[in-house]
Amino acid sequence: MNGGDEVAAAPVGPPQPLEWKFSQVFGERTAGEEVQEVDIISAIEFDKTGDHLATGDRGGRVVLFERTDTKDHGGYRRDLERMDCPISRHPEFRYKTEFQSHEPEFDYLKSLEIEEKINKIRWCQTANGALFLLSTNDKTIKFWKVQEKKVKKISDMNVDPSKAVGNGSVASSSNSNSTKSYLANGGWPEKSYGYPSNDFTFPPGGIPSLHLPVVVTSNETSLVARCRRVYAHAHDYHINSISNNSDGETFISADDLRINLWNLEISNQSFNIVDVKPTNMEDLTEVITSAEFHPNHCNMLAYSSSRGSIRLIDLRQSALCDSHAKLFEEQEAPGSRSFFTEIIASISDIKFAKDGRHILSRDYMTLKLWDINMDSGPVATFQVQEYLRPKLCDLYENDSIFDKFECCLSGDGLRVATGSYSNLFRVFGCALGSAEATTLEASKNPMRRQVQTPSRPSRSLSSITRVVRRGTESPGVDANGNSFDFTTKLLHLAWHPTENSIACAAANSLYMYYA
């Protein structure tokens, strides 16, 4: 006790609110430019390292971006990270490659068009320098391998490259310094093969010796995307989620009524592990809206429903997991029920925190943070767009009330984020005592709509602290008095796994921010 004198440690307060800055934009629209439907981004996903980012669009394409600032200064950066020194450089990405993942199809048995839109993308474990990812549309999941391959060229041509052939083009040679790009199989991208044309004439006396062209491997490389497997014909309803297992061997796919378990190596067989389809479809009361594996325990997964509940299931209990291990739902306040109660309670997205202890869920009005050890209610609720409550009737008429907003957590678990209308997204601090509630716009000036005095959280009198946090709200108008635009919505966003960096999609544009 040292003579009764005790020095009390200073209490550690919540982290300071982050100041977000614009980093990059890909596919920025010019004023008045019309957005093509096929170019609208429909999925965003960082890989586990944060060095690669994938986006999918409604045209069935997957576009990959790679980080460049860590490559250029990799060793130096890692040394600084070990010493915990602040790094002035912000994350920078560049376009890597793109490929057509899905094409529009037609189901002749059901007379149903299957659109090519990418619903979800999930990265798999890398191997031998190649990137692997899963992409899905409404019905079919595909497993892609993307790697660099050396380009093959044709050498030892019979025509002297220094002489022009009949049509004025020059023949190719093994020592050609041409900067033209090659296709994956070694061909030219356009039909200028450098072969003699029909009006080519042999020199007097003929060519002394003829030899076969030789295919040689050059030092040039090109990125090749190859579909390794196709997982099809396992879902009667639209696929809304895919999720990798931590074992690196299996993944799940979920539609409105079923969740299937797949092995990455086996494409012609899956196991149905959840089936909520009733015997009589008239008895159907809820559907599955999202599903995700636990980040650390390969036997646990969670799925959400259209009635606002989250079920945690354990694959060790039984082969068909119709009975849940835990149920998370919030009881509605008495007298608060209306026609729209069940619609706005529907959970559009769930995400596990990196540590696996918490689950973040997004419904139409709020973000909720749940502790998997406490099923009595959420530990924190964040009001995202409470200003819309008086407008629910209009939103129901124009179907906006059915928009599915995604959510994400920071790698350290201290903050959560989700999108809203007018291309806005909101970042909330979820550490104990934090009052962080930041509203940002997907533009080159993200803080344009920010209000300087965020409202304080109101605490409940429960013995277990529950927080309700409100974002910057005013009915129908933003901080600058502009009316909210319900046609521009920020549905998709992703948080970098190790840094405070967010990528979000506004129509066909990909915006990136850092703090």
Side-chain angles (χ1 to χ4, degrees):
M1 296 290 288
N2 293 336
D5 294 332
E6 225 176 46
V7 179
V12 180
Q16 290 298 309
L18 296 176
E19 184 181 345
W20 291 92
K21 302 181 184 69
F22 169 78
S23 173
Q24 288 173 281
V25 59
F26 295 95
E28 185 182 19
R29 298 193 307 278
T30 56
E33 181 186 350
E34 189 176 341
V35 180
Q36 298 296 319
E37 178 83 8
V38 294
D39 294 332
I40 295 176
I41 296 172
S42 56
I44 300 180
E45 185 79 5
F46 280 105
D47 71 349
K48 280 188 177 179
T49 64
D51 290 338
H52 292 92
L53 175 68
T55 66
D57 63 25
R58 293 188 184 180
R61 291 165 302 208
V62 172
V63 183
L64 304 185
F65 301 88
E66 67 176 348
R67 190 163 177 177
T68 55
D69 58 314
T70 51
K71 277 194 170 185
D72 299 339
H73 306 274
Y76 174 64
R77 184 185 183 91
R78 279 192 293 273
D79 292 340
L80 288 178
E81 285 174 346
R82 265 190 231 108
M83 295 185 292
D84 203 21
C85 293
I87 300 166
S88 58
R89 292 180 63 87
H90 64 82
E92 290 178 8
F93 284 79
R94 72 178 177 195
Y95 169 86
K96 185 178 178 76
T97 189
E98 68 180 84
F99 55 91
Q100 188 72 33
S101 173
H102 288 73
E103 301 279 359
E105 298 174 51
F106 190 81
D107 187 334
Y108 293 98
L109 290 175
K110 297 181 179 178
S111 296
L112 186 71
E113 286 185 7
I114 303 169
E115 60 181 356
E116 65 271 34
K117 182 182 80 125
I118 305 295
N119 289 345
K120 295 289 178 184
I121 296 173
R122 290 291 180 265
W123 289 91
C124 302
Q125 292 179 355
T126 58
N128 301 324
L131 302 173
F132 294 90
L133 51 89
L134 290 164
S135 63
T136 184
N137 65 353
D138 286 339
K139 295 289 184 181
T140 307
I141 307 157
K142 295 186 179 181
F143 183 48
W144 290 91
K145 178 182 182 181
V146 182
Q147 68 177 152
E148 288 189 343
K149 287 202 169 183
K150 290 192 174 180
V151 175
K152 291 181 178 179
K153 295 183 181 179
I154 299 173
S155 66
D156 296 338
M157 301 296 289
N158 289 295
V159 181
D160 185 354
S162 63
K163 296 177 182 177
V165 294
N167 61 3
S169 62
V170 178
S172 171
S173 74
S174 58
N175 60 353
S176 169
N177 291 324
S178 169
T179 57
K180 288 185 179 180
S181 60
Y182 294 85
L183 296 179
N185 60 2
W188 292 96
E190 69 269 346
K191 290 189 176 181
S192 58
Y193 294 102
Y195 296 148
S197 63
N198 291 334
D199 58 349
F200 174 77
T201 55
F202 280 88
I207 297 175
S209 62
L210 286 173
H211 46 263
L212 290 171
V214 178
V215 177
V216 295
T217 303
S218 70
N219 291 324
E220 295 178 35
T221 59
S222 68
L223 278 166
V224 179
R226 192 161 64 91
C227 183
R228 295 286 304 277
R229 284 176 191 85
V230 177
Y231 312 91
H233 312 301
H235 288 278
D236 291 330
Y237 304 93
H238 290 179
I239 298 171
N240 55 48
S241 303
I242 51 175
S243 179
N244 305 84
N245 198 342
S246 57
D247 63 10
E249 296 179 0
T250 56
F251 71 94
I252 54 168
S253 58
D255 65 21
D256 292 342
L257 298 179
R258 294 187 176 97
I259 299 176
N260 292 332
L261 177 68
W262 302 82
N263 188 299
L264 280 167
E265 301 294 324
I266 303 169
S267 60
N268 61 356
Q269 177 179 288
S270 66
F271 296 96
N272 177 228
I273 55 174
V274 174
D275 188 349
V276 299
K277 185 178 180 180
T279 308
N280 183 357
M281 285 295 280
E282 290 181 1
D283 298 332
L284 183 68
T285 57
E286 62 181 339
V287 295
I288 299 166
T289 56
S290 182
E292 188 169 73
F293 261 119
H294 191 282
N296 306 319
H297 300 308
C298 62
N299 57 288
M300 291 175 65
L301 63 98
Y303 69 91
S304 59
S305 83
S306 57
R307 297 191 70 175
S309 60
I310 301 171
R311 289 173 173 85
L312 193 68
I313 61 175
D314 191 334
L315 296 175
R316 297 172 298 185
Q317 285 185 337
S318 65
L320 187 61
C321 303
D322 285 342
S323 59
H324 51 267
K326 282 192 176 180
L327 174 67
F328 305 94
E329 59 183 352
E330 189 172 30
Q331 301 301 322
E332 62 184 63
S336 64
R337 190 169 184 80
S338 72
F339 173 76
F340 303 108
T341 301
E342 280 194 15
I343 300 175
I344 63 175
S346 176
I347 295 174
S348 56
D349 191 28
I350 59 169
K351 291 283 195 313
F352 271 101
K354 201 173 182 180
D355 60 4
R357 172 72 184 267
H358 294 90
I359 299 174
L360 180 68
S361 67
R362 170 71 204 263
D363 57 44
Y364 192 68
M365 290 294 191
T366 65
L367 273 175
K368 291 187 176 80
L369 190 67
W370 307 79
D371 186 329
I372 64 170
N373 293 340
M374 190 183 88
D375 53 8
S376 57
V379 292
T381 299
F382 309 98
Q383 300 289 352
V384 179
Q385 45 196 29
E386 185 64 24
Y387 63 88
L388 292 179
R389 200 169 287 277
K391 299 181 173 56
L392 290 178
C393 206
D394 297 334
L395 293 163
Y396 179 77
E397 290 293 326
N398 62 22
D399 284 345
S400 293
I401 201 169
F402 301 106
D403 287 334
K404 299 185 187 311
F405 293 94
E406 292 179 3
C407 58
C408 57
L409 299 98
S410 60
D412 56 15
L414 296 177
R415 294 173 179 86
V416 295
T418 190
S420 185
Y421 293 101
S422 300
N423 283 343
L424 300 179
F425 64 100
R426 295 197 161 93
V427 179
F428 298 95
C430 53
L432 191 63
S434 173
E436 183 174 357
T438 310
T439 303
L440 303 153
E441 182 184 43
S443 67
K444 288 189 174 180
N445 183 12
M447 305 294 281
R448 185 165 72 90
R449 303 201 187 202
Q450 180 61 24
V451 171
Q452 297 302 318
T453 54
S455 54
R456 290 284 169 185
S458 60
R459 299 192 181 280
S460 67
L461 299 177
S462 167
S463 58
I464 301 171
T465 305
R466 295 196 188 141
V467 182
V468 177
R469 189 87 36 78
R470 297 179 183 274
T472 306
E473 299 164 5
S474 54
V477 295
D478 64 14
N480 296 334
N482 303 317
S483 60
F484 282 100
D485 181 4
F486 300 117
T487 60
T488 56
K489 51 196 105 172
L490 200 150
L491 302 175
H492 312 286
L493 76 170
W495 201 303
H496 191 282
T498 58
E499 298 179 19
N500 286 321
S501 174
I502 292 179
C504 56
N508 66 330
S509 303
L510 176 67
Y511 285 91
M512 307 192 74
Y513 302 94
Y514 71 99

